[in-house]
Amino acid sequence: MPELVFFSGTMDCGKSTLALQIEHNRSSRGLQGMIYSRNDRAGHGKLSSRLGLVTEAVEAAHDMDFYAHVVGQLSSGGRVDYVIADEAQFLAPEQVDQLARVVDDLELDVFAFGITTDFRSKLFPGSQRLVELADRIEVLQVEALCWCGARATHNARTVDGRMVVEGAQVVVGDVVGDVDSPHAVVGYEVLCRRHHRRRQTSATARAVALSPDVLPVDSAK
Ligand SMILES: Nc1ncnc2c1ncn2[C@@H]1O[C@H](COP(=O)(O)OP(=O)(O)O)[C@@H](O)[C@H]1O
Ligand SMILES: Cc1cn([C@H]2C[C@H](O)[C@@H](COP(=O)(O)O)O2)c(=O)[nH]c1=O
């Protein structure tokens, strides 16, 4: 039975890598996929992983109809055996409904990848609809870790190094510390719930550890 599968997790937990692996394994057996992404860090029409792999993708505009697009491919003689949609948190709820229709009416597997919640721990509308409609929700097995060593379950946004809880839901960016964005004004960091609630990022924790209050008495002079 074809399925709508939602692979979800925090930022930086390997979702795009898995999307590329699924694509590789299927295309190397002669199958042909439709690959969609939106706002990938590598640019328009790309699906990229931090491991350095990248593939071409159809940039899924906010008003694109996925069902009509796949039907268009098939009716113009193209072949579509499965569908991959990365950065699925950015999709509109009705686009997720279209993906479900691709599964039910065209009998194709659809693999969607995305973060579940935003920097305020609120569901993205696209992810909410995926949770509502998916046949299966898979949590990635490689755990992203908080600076404290606990499993990271939340995404924090930082502006000039400080964690923020207000702002636009969508701001494309990367985790700070990444080679491409070590000094980004807006960055992201994955945290456990405890430290997300306390707004304690790795930088804040380091600052507290270095504060004279917690240094040995001699070195605090
Ligand atoms: N230099 C590296 N060596 C090994 N693994 C890495 C390296 N850089 C990133 N990774 C792996 O890639 C994962 C991020 O992959 P990616 O597919 O880009 O994540 P996501 O799409 O979930 O944001 C990290 O969790 C880590 O496991
Ligand atoms: C938490 C959060 C993230 N984003 C953006 C930042 C990145 O461009 C993507 C996530 O990509 P990844 O491959 O999963 O690392 O989402 C955002 O716009 N708003 C947020 O709250």
Side-chain angles (χ1 to χ4, degrees), residues 7-23:
F7 294 94
S8 71
T10 59
M11 289 179 69
D12 200 23
C13 72
K15 302 178 300 299
S16 301
T17 305
L18 180 61
L20 287 159
Q21 286 175 312
I22 290 176
E23 159 59 13

Side-chain angles (χ1 to χ4, degrees), residues 89-167:
Q89 71 275 5
F90 294 143
L91 301 182
E94 48 276 20
Q95 290 179 310
V96 175
D97 283 69
Q98 294 153 12
L99 289 174
R101 190 169 173 209
V102 168
V103 177
D104 297 339
D105 295 2
L106 304 178
E107 302 194 345
L108 299 177
D109 279 317
V110 174
F111 306 107
F113 300 82
I115 52 179
T116 324
T117 53
D118 67 11
F119 69 110
R120 301 160 306 169
S121 324
K122 302 284 182 199
L123 287 166
F124 280 93
S127 308
Q128 178 182 340
R129 196 68 186 131
L130 276 160
V131 169
E132 289 162 353
L133 290 186
D135 295 290
R136 227 162 15 101
I137 299 170
E138 297 283 344
V139 178
L140 277 272
Q141 293 200 342
V142 179
E143 294 176 349
L145 297 181
C146 178
W147 57 266
C148 68
R151 178 161 172 250
T153 46
H154 289 66
N155 303 297
R157 179 182 291 164
T158 56
V159 175
D160 291 328
R162 297 194 73 81
M163 183 173 159
V164 293
V165 289
E166 281 175 17

